[in-house]
Amino acid sequence: MERPVLDPAEQRVLGALLEKELTVPASYPLSLNALRTACNQATSREPVTDYSDAEVEATARALKERGLVRIVWAGKGSRTLKFHQLLSDALDLADDERALLTVLLLRGEQAAGELKTRTERLHGFADRAEVEACLARLAARTPPLAAQLERRAGQQDPRWLHLLGPAPQSVAAAPTAVIDREVVLAGGPAARTAKVRAGYDEVAATYADFMADDLTRKPFDRWLLERIPEEAPGGPLVDVGCGPGHIAAFLADAGAEVTGIDLSEAMIASARAAYPDLTFTVGDYTQLLRPPRDPGWAAIVAWFSLAHLAASELGGVLASLGRTLVPAGWLVMALQVGHEVRQFASWHGHEVDLTFVQHDPRFVRDAVAAAGLVVAEWYVRGPQDERDGSADLLYVLAKRP
C-alpha cells in the first residue's frame, strides 16, 4: 500500500496497539478504556497526552476506514468493542522493523542507541549496529518508512524518525524524483553490454590493484564467503562477474572448486596472471551454462556484479542463474542498494561510459523469490569506509528448492 500519513492522534493509537499486542497479548485486542490508558500512559510516551474516550474512539474509527484498524466485539453477547491494529500487515513489516516503528511512533525522533534500549520488550537487537542496519532498511524501502535527521549542534549521534507523518525539513529524505532504472537499456541490451565490457577492459589493471586488499578490511564479507564452500551441496562453484579474481581466489582458499567468469578479456587476463592455478573464462553470466562435467553449480556467487542491470532485467537474470544450480544449490549475492542511478564518464582514473543501478532491497528479495529461489538469509549494512561510497550494501543467500 501507499505510505499512510498519520496525524499525532493516529500515530499514538497505532503505536499503542502495536506495543500492547506484543507486551500484553492476553488482553489484546484492547478495549476502548485500555486503549485510552495505553495512549495516555505517563511512561514511554513523548509527549504525554490526555486523550478522552471520545477522541480515541473517533481516531480508531477513522483508522478503520483507512484499513489500519479492525474493530471487533469482545465476545458473544458482549457490547464491548475491542481494537486491533492492521498497520504491520499493511506495511509488511518484519519483526525488527515493527519494533523500531512502534517506538518511533510512541516517542518521536531517537538515536539508534536509545532505540536499542527502548525496544527490548519488542525485539532483541544484538547491538546498535543491528538497529542501524534495520533503520537503513526502513529508509531504503519504496516509499521509505524512516529517515535520518541532520545532526544538530551538540548531538553525539544522529537521530531517526518515522515517515508515517509529515517529515520536518531537516530530514535527509529519500528522493522524490522518478528514478529511471531502465536508462541503462536506452541503446538496447547489446549496447549496454558493449559499454560494460569496454569500461572494465579500460580499468582492469588499476581496478585489480585497487581490489587486491579489499577483503582484508571486510570481516563480514569474509565470514559470509567462508561459509559457501561449507554449506554448498558439493560440486563446483562459479564466480560470475569475477573481475580480477580476488573473490574466486578467496573461495578456492576456503576449499571450493571454483571457476571465474567475466565479460572483460582484460579482467580475465589479470585474474589468470594473479591466480594461475585457478580457472577463469571470458563469458556473459546472463547466459550462464551448467558446468561441463556436473549436473549444475553447487553455488553461484555474484559479488557486486549485478550493478549494470535494469530493473526489468533483474528477475529474468536471477531465474536464468537459478536454473543452472543443482537442487539445494546456493545463489549468493552482494550489491549496492538505494535510490540512485549513477553514470560515470571517469572511473579509477580512466575514461569510461558506465551506468550503475541501485535497486531497493525489497525489490531485490522479491525478484529472487520470483525466480523460484528461497531467500534463506539477507543483510543490509552501511558503507565500511569511503571506498564503499555512500550506498548501503545488501547481501542475499538464496537456495534452489
Side-chain angles (χ1 to χ4, degrees):
M1 67 176 296
E2 293 185 2
R3 180 179 64 203
V5 178
L6 308 172
D7 65 29
E10 291 172 330
Q11 293 175 32
R12 181 58 58 89
V13 165
L14 285 171
L17 288 170
L18 284 161
E19 179 191 64
K20 298 306 181 182
E21 185 176 9
L22 296 182
T23 59
V24 287
S27 57
Y28 188 87
L30 299 184
S31 67
L32 177 60
N33 181 63
L35 178 55
R36 179 183 56 78
T37 300
C39 288
N40 294 336
Q41 70 182 55
T43 59
S44 304
R45 303 289 187 268
E46 295 177 22
V48 175
T49 57
D50 188 23
Y51 293 122
S52 66
D53 282 350
E55 290 172 313
V56 172
E57 183 173 6
T59 300
R61 289 189 179 279
L63 290 168
K64 176 182 179 295
E65 296 303 314
R66 299 172 63 182
L68 299 176
V69 162
R70 179 185 298 130
I71 301 177
V72 298
W73 295 108
K76 186 176 181 181
S78 172
R79 295 185 179 183
T80 301
L81 295 178
K82 290 200 168 188
F83 301 88
H84 170 71
Q85 66 81 25
L86 300 175
L87 182 68
S88 57
D89 289 337
L91 296 179
D92 190 21
L93 298 175
D95 291 345
D96 54 352
E97 296 171 333
R98 171 187 167 138
L100 291 178
L101 276 181
T102 298
V103 176
L104 288 170
L105 284 166
L106 291 173
R107 305 192 69 159
E109 62 183 69
Q110 296 159 77
E114 294 173 313
L115 287 165
K116 179 185 180 303
T117 301
R118 293 167 176 175
T119 54
E120 287 181 349
R121 297 178 67 197
L122 306 175
H123 181 80
F125 289 97
D127 50 33
R128 190 172 73 173
E130 195 170 286
V131 174
E132 291 171 339
C134 184
L135 288 166
R137 204 160 74 237
L138 287 168
R141 289 182 58 160
T142 304
L145 299 180
Q148 183 176 304
L149 288 162
E150 295 177 359
R151 191 177 303 185
R152 304 187 187 109
Q155 286 184 344
Q156 182 176 355
D157 297 315
R159 301 175 73 77
W160 290 76
L161 84 170
H162 68 81
L163 293 180
L164 299 180
Q169 294 181 352
S170 59
V171 169
T176 56
V178 175
I179 304 165
D180 184 5
R181 293 185 172 95
E182 302 300 310
V183 69
V184 289
L185 299 178
R192 183 272 316 278
T193 300
K195 290 178 181 179
V196 171
R197 180 183 293 111
Y200 283 92
D201 279 346
E202 178 66 27
V203 305
T206 307
Y207 188 76
D209 291 339
F210 180 79
M211 298 300 290
D213 65 342
D214 189 57
L215 288 177
T216 63
R217 64 187 183 89
K218 293 181 176 179
F220 179 83
D221 293 40
R222 295 197 303 273
W223 167 77
L224 203 59
L225 289 166
E226 285 172 345
R227 294 172 51 195
I228 299 171
E230 298 175 359
E231 298 191 19
L237 279 61
V238 60
D239 177 12
V240 297
C242 66
H246 61 296
I247 299 297
F250 184 89
L251 292 168
D253 287 343
E257 175 194 348
V258 59
T259 296
I261 295 176
D262 201 280
L263 273 176
S264 166
E265 293 185 7
M267 284 289 188
I268 291 297
S270 178
R272 287 170 176 166
Y275 311 105
D277 295 335
L278 301 183
T279 300
F280 296 97
T281 183
V282 177
D284 184 348
Y285 67 73
T286 66
Q287 302 173 25
L288 182 67
L289 300 176
R290 293 180 176 85
R293 295 181 299 278
D294 293 271
W297 301 103
I300 298 170
V301 178
W303 214 248
F304 299 100
S305 56
L306 307 181
H308 307 289
L309 293 177
S312 60
E313 297 178 290
L314 186 61
V317 169
L318 293 174
S320 177
L321 291 173
R323 286 192 289 270
T324 69
L325 288 168
V326 297
W330 288 94
L331 173 64
V332 183
M333 303 187 299
L335 63 163
Q336 289 191 338
V337 290
H339 303 277
E340 293 187 64
V341 175
R342 297 177 175 177
Q343 295 178 299
F344 288 82
S346 176
W347 196 45
H348 292 282
H350 297 265
E351 291 185 5
V352 297
D353 184 3
L354 288 172
T355 301
F356 292 81
V357 182
Q358 296 176 5
H359 300 286
D360 179 84
R362 187 174 294 271
F363 173 80
V364 175
R365 301 198 310 271
D366 289 346
V368 172
L373 303 172
V374 178
V375 176
E377 300 175 31
W378 61 273
Y379 308 89
V380 175
R381 71 168 177 84
Q384 185 88 3
D385 53 40
E386 66 278 0
R387 286 178 56 174
D388 285 338
S390 59
D392 286 335
L393 309 177
L394 170 68
Y395 303 82
V396 178
L397 287 78
K399 182 180 286 191
R400 180 177 176 179

